[in-house]
Amino acid sequence: MEFKVLGKDGKARAGVIKTNNGEVLTPAFMPVGTQATVKTMSPEELAEIGYQMILANAYHLYLRPGHKIIEKLGGLHRFMNWKSAILTDSGGFQVYSLAKLRKISDEGVEFQSHIDGGRHFFSPEKVMEIQEALGADIIMPLDDCPALPASRSRLEESVERTVNWAKQSKAVKKKEGQALFGIIQGGLDIELRRRCFLELYQIGFSGYALGGLAVGEEPNERAKIVEEMSRILPEDKPRYLMGVGPVEECLSAVRQGIDLFDCVLATRNARNGQIFTSSGKINIKNSEYAEDESPLDRECDCYVCRNYTRAYLRHLYVSGEILGIRLNTWHNLYYYQMFFTRMREAVMAGKFEEFYLEGKKKFEEER
Amino acid sequence: MEFKVLGKDGKARAGVIKTNNGEVLTPAFMPVGTQATVKTMSPEELAEIGYQMILANAYHLYLRPGHKIIEKLGGLHRFMNWKSAILTDSGGFQVYSLAKLRKISDEGVEFQSHIDGGRHFFSPEKVMEIQEALGADIIMPLDDCPALPASRSRLEESVERTVNWAKQSKAVKKKEGQALFGIIQGGLDIELRRRCFLELYQIGFSGYALGGLAVGEEPNERAKIVEEMSRILPEDKPRYLMGVGPVEECLSAVRQGIDLFDCVLATRNARNGQIFTSSGKINIKNSEYAEDESPLDRECDCYVCRNYTRAYLRHLYVSGEILGIRLNTWHNLYYYQMFFTRMREAVMAGKFEEFYLEGKKKFEEER
């Protein structure tokens, strides 16, 4: 993996990540394909929208269908017919949010599957083995990801473990071309966050991720961590803000120099009928759209907005038709991709601050 | 609407129906798009597979979103972004199979909506009004469709009503280019079927449909009706066997000179994991496919078979992923379309009997 910053405007950067499976222009939003599919979408549709990297999940794919099956079938790219880059998350977060009866120790995490209750154990090495088998382009080490708020001593423990596990993860053999990122923990404690980063930096990783956020804290608390950390994150490595997805937060984080994002928001909201538009969110379920012949978003030129009315999409939604959530998802993912493309263009044109202020004003008006 | 027979082999015919929304090569299978969407599929995907006409349902669209809304939005083609032909069924069958507390009289049917229990009344004229608003290329009159077995007197009543309603339907103004078919009732009673047809023929319709089948009788009883009726159906009009879908039955019916078919089998089975292949049906849920790297059907060259393994499709299915039922549906619809294309080619090449015997043998072996 190679990373280059191609343009800067303030702290905001436009760059490119080169992987064995193509380039990823940054800042980039990664659609979430937890179970080896971005819900409702085909790989060709994602590529048509412009996505160059998606996220999949080691925890989920380990449990079902099993990483060894995917390896035997030629790896995750081939398994799911996705020809561009993939980042796999380690499962550290999922063990905390989904699994039952987890028991954490310095050796790893024991947990029960959320699917069938079966007992499993994740060590840092095991999680690397899983991700080597999956063959993603960028992989993440097992981390200790506490829910917030958390006590200082819990956060200290989490940082220590996360650093040790990162070191162990780095020592494990990977697939050729697989890049390992470090995950920074430390909750809302800047000093702990700094300490965690500095120790990870000494080990040395291909990129650095802010983990353990979007786990209960307020957006402004999160923003403060992003701002503080962006002062010390190395310029020459990709910076990844894990699991944070509201576009207004992405905008602020890009302004601080963040390059990568992932979030279920775009896809999950679509399945609930919530649509992102250039004039704010709408819910397509609402009866006010029953006879509305306008597209979801007049300013959008995606496949959905070019071909379907709100009235039709509402009809599909209230009728429980799958095409409805397919089209909603398509539009929301296009909205995100366009927003990121515009951020990138603004950086390259030296007009990011203008873009940022305009965006911020708009999002505030919509609230 | 115009219909031409372009080739014959025995009683089997290859023809073309010309509509305001393009040509439909026959014999043709129409995917069912009850609620203005063929479940899980986009219109472009249906066109890519080769479909030239789909079926939608007046009963469903009247109840939701309402035919007047669809009319206001430019008609059904525009509403659902489908650029080829549409046939709408009248709802006669749906009133019997879905609605509650129906009360039938010579004036029409009173029923309660299966969605919200609201009371509605369908007269033959009302059903024409609905279909004029929807604007389908081929429309069907309200008919009286009894479940089988039915008494002789019930069947006689059904035939009489169906003929009277067909006459009333013909008298109603339609959209320019809209073709009205006649629906032949009469259950398994050949004499009643003949009587029904002859009376409809005197009124005169653009095509003739065998209705009231696949409502409880055995396939061989159905086949007998098809065989007997095909002797007297006019050569120069399309012949439509309503709601009958197993490919082996379509094969036999095409041999008797049937041109049009519709059935939910291809799409519904796909959603239940049942896949049609050139070597018989399989259920993708089965654990035997967990590590199977072969495509659904080695002899199929559809998008799904070119890009995905059974192992992946099983994973999607057992994980409850929508892409799974999308891809299953795609493949099954492709299977049907290919089967119909081959029947047509066999007729045009004068080799239909050979194709029929081979197919029949294969289907028997698979049982």
Side-chain angles (χ1 to χ4, degrees), chain A residues 36 39-40 44 303 312 321, chain B residues 36 39 44 303 312 321 326:
Chain A
K39 289 191 191 301
T40 82
E44 289 80 6
Y303 163 73
Y312 182 62
E321 286 287 355
Chain B
K39 288 187 190 306
E44 289 79 6
Y303 163 74
Y312 182 63
E321 287 286 356
R326 269 185 73 180

Side-chain angles (χ1 to χ4, degrees), chain B residues 65-354:
Chain B
H67 58 292
K68 297 215 180 205
I69 286 183
I70 294 180
E71 184 175 37
K72 195 189 143 213
L73 291 162
L76 186 54
H77 292 84
R78 208 172 134 193
F79 185 60
M80 65 182 292
N81 185 32
W82 173 248
K83 294 172 172 70
S84 305
I86 301 177
L87 181 150
T88 40
D89 193 3
S90 64
F93 178 76
Q94 281 66 34
V95 165
Y96 287 91
S97 58
L98 290 175
K100 295 170 208 155
L101 288 177
R102 54 194 175 269
K103 223 174 85 187
I104 193 162
S105 67
D106 290 340
E107 283 66 47
V109 202
E110 195 188 325
F111 62 93
Q112 277 192 290
S113 158
H114 72 288
I115 300 170
D116 62 8
R119 288 188 178 279
H120 300 270
F121 185 77
F122 271 4
S123 65
E125 290 82 3
K126 177 77 185 175
V127 166
M128 286 295 103
E129 178 202 317
I130 294 166
Q131 292 183 86
E132 192 198 0
L134 297 175
D137 302 281
I138 301 177
I139 63 177
M140 309 298 291
L142 185 65
D143 58 339
D144 179 359
C145 179
L148 298 182
S151 68
R152 166 95 189 183
S153 67
R154 176 69 187 94
L155 291 175
E156 274 180 349
E157 179 189 57
S158 140
V159 165
E160 198 183 330
R161 251 184 216 134
T162 296
V163 169
N164 286 338
W165 290 355
K167 188 182 263 173
Q168 288 167 256
S169 302
K170 198 185 170 186
V172 176
K173 184 188 139 284
K174 326 235 161 14
K175 260 212 167 55
E176 214 192 303
Q178 271 193 322
L180 178 67
F181 280 21
I183 302 180
I184 303 163
Q185 291 288 349
L188 300 178
D189 189 312
I190 297 289
E191 196 213 308
L192 278 179
R193 286 270 175 190
R194 275 201 203 107
R195 190 201 299 172
C196 188
F197 163 68
L198 290 173
E199 294 195 34
L200 291 172
Y201 187 68
Q202 284 180 325
I203 304 167
F205 292 92
S206 302
Y208 294 90
L210 291 167
L213 291 172
V215 289
E217 78 287 3
E218 293 294 317
N220 65 322
E221 296 177 301
R222 195 152 58 225
K224 214 171 154 194
I225 295 296
V226 172
E227 189 179 345
E228 291 294 335
M229 292 308 293
S230 70
R231 296 181 205 278
I232 56 168
L233 288 170
E235 282 285 323
D236 61 341
K237 302 288 178 196
R239 301 157 172 179
Y240 168 23
L241 179 56
M242 301 181 81
V244 175
V247 275
E248 52 269 47
E249 285 198 54
C250 295
L251 178 63
S252 298
V254 166
R255 185 160 173 260
Q256 299 298 335
I258 300 293
D259 308 300
L260 285 174
F261 298 83
D262 81 277
C263 191
V264 293
L265 210 62
T267 42
R268 181 179 292 161
N269 285 18
R271 296 197 303 283
N272 296 326
Q274 196 176 68
I275 307 295
F276 296 99
T277 84
S278 56
S279 45
K281 288 172 206 146
I282 66 169
N283 199 307
I284 199 63
K285 276 182 274 201
N286 291 348
S287 58
E288 63 182 297
Y289 305 123
E291 305 190 24
D292 189 340
E293 40 189 326
S294 57
L296 288 176
D297 184 350
R298 282 197 188 281
E299 290 178 33
C300 178
D301 63 349
C302 80
Y303 163 74
V304 183
C305 289
R306 279 186 284 112
N307 291 295
Y308 302 94
T309 60
R310 289 176 173 185
Y312 182 63
L313 292 163
R314 177 179 188 269
H315 165 67
L316 292 180
Y317 197 88
V318 300
S319 303
E321 287 286 356
I322 281 173
L323 183 61
I325 57 177
R326 269 185 73 180
L327 297 176
N328 292 350
T329 303
W330 187 313
H331 169 83
N332 275 1
L333 285 176
Y334 189 88
Y335 175 87
Y336 265 76
Q337 179 63 9
M338 281 306 104
F339 191 83
F340 274 75
T341 300
R342 284 189 197 117
M343 285 200 285
R344 183 184 162 83
E345 285 168 358
V347 172
M348 294 303 281
K351 293 181 174 170
F352 185 81
E353 197 59 20
E354 218 175 300

Side-chain angles (χ1 to χ4, degrees), chain A residues 17-78:
Chain A
I17 300 173
K18 293 180 186 180
T19 77
N20 282 349
N21 291 288
E23 296 189 349
V24 182
L25 299 180
T26 61
F29 174 79
M30 295 179 279
V32 176
T34 307
Q35 304 196 104
T37 166
V38 174
K39 289 191 191 301
T40 82
M41 299 291 286
S42 76
E44 289 80 6
E45 287 161 355
L46 295 170
E48 189 184 326
I49 293 175
Y51 285 108
Q52 298 169 317
M53 179 152 66
I54 62 169
L55 177 137
N57 196 281
Y59 165 85
H60 283 94
L61 296 174
Y62 158 81
L63 290 177
R64 189 171 58 192
H67 57 293
K68 297 213 181 207
I69 286 183
I70 294 180
E71 185 175 35
K72 195 189 145 214
L73 291 163
L76 185 54
H77 292 83
R78 208 172 134 193

Side-chain angles (χ1 to χ4, degrees), chain A residues 92-313:
Chain A
F93 178 77
Q94 281 66 34
V95 165
Y96 287 91
S97 58
L98 288 175
K100 295 171 208 158
L101 288 176
R102 55 195 175 268
K103 221 173 87 188
I104 193 161
S105 68
D106 290 341
E107 284 65 48
V109 201
E110 196 188 324
F111 62 93
Q112 278 192 291
S113 157
H114 73 286
I115 300 169
D116 62 8
R119 286 186 180 281
H120 300 269
F121 185 76
F122 270 3
S123 66
E125 290 82 3
K126 177 76 186 176
V127 167
M128 286 295 103
E129 178 202 316
I130 295 166
Q131 291 181 87
E132 193 198 359
L134 296 176
D137 302 280
I138 300 177
I139 64 178
M140 308 299 291
L142 186 65
D143 58 340
D144 178 358
C145 180
L148 297 182
S151 67
R152 167 94 189 185
S153 66
R154 177 68 187 92
L155 291 175
E156 274 180 350
E157 181 189 54
S158 140
V159 165
E160 197 183 331
R161 251 184 215 134
T162 296
V163 169
N164 286 338
W165 290 355
K167 189 182 261 171
Q168 288 166 255
S169 302
K170 197 186 169 184
V172 175
K173 185 187 138 287
K174 328 241 159 10
K175 260 212 167 57
E176 215 192 301
Q178 271 192 323
L180 179 66
F181 279 21
I183 302 180
I184 303 163
Q185 290 289 348
L188 300 178
D189 189 313
I190 298 288
E191 196 212 309
L192 278 178
R193 285 271 175 190
R194 277 200 203 108
R195 192 201 298 172
C196 189
F197 164 67
L198 289 172
E199 295 196 33
L200 291 172
Y201 188 66
Q202 284 180 325
I203 304 166
F205 292 92
S206 302
Y208 295 90
L210 292 168
L213 291 172
V215 290
E217 79 286 4
E218 292 294 318
N220 64 322
E221 297 176 301
R222 194 151 60 224
K224 214 171 153 191
I225 294 295
V226 172
E227 188 179 344
E228 290 294 335
M229 292 309 292
S230 71
R231 295 182 205 277
I232 56 168
L233 288 169
E235 282 283 325
D236 62 341
K237 302 287 180 197
R239 302 156 172 181
Y240 168 24
L241 179 56
M242 301 180 80
V244 175
V247 275
E248 51 270 46
E249 285 198 53
C250 296
L251 179 63
S252 297
V254 165
R255 186 161 173 260
Q256 299 298 335
I258 301 292
D259 308 300
L260 285 175
F261 299 82
D262 81 277
C263 191
V264 294
L265 210 61
T267 42
R268 182 178 292 159
N269 286 19
R271 296 197 303 283
N272 296 328
Q274 197 177 67
I275 307 295
F276 297 100
T277 83
S278 56
S279 46
K281 289 172 205 148
I282 66 169
N283 199 308
I284 199 62
K285 276 182 275 201
N286 292 349
S287 58
E288 63 182 297
Y289 305 123
E291 305 190 23
D292 189 340
E293 41 189 325
S294 57
L296 288 175
D297 184 352
R298 283 198 187 279
E299 290 179 32
C300 178
D301 63 348
C302 80
Y303 163 73
V304 183
C305 289
R306 279 185 284 111
N307 291 294
Y308 302 95
T309 59
R310 290 176 173 185
Y312 182 62
L313 293 162

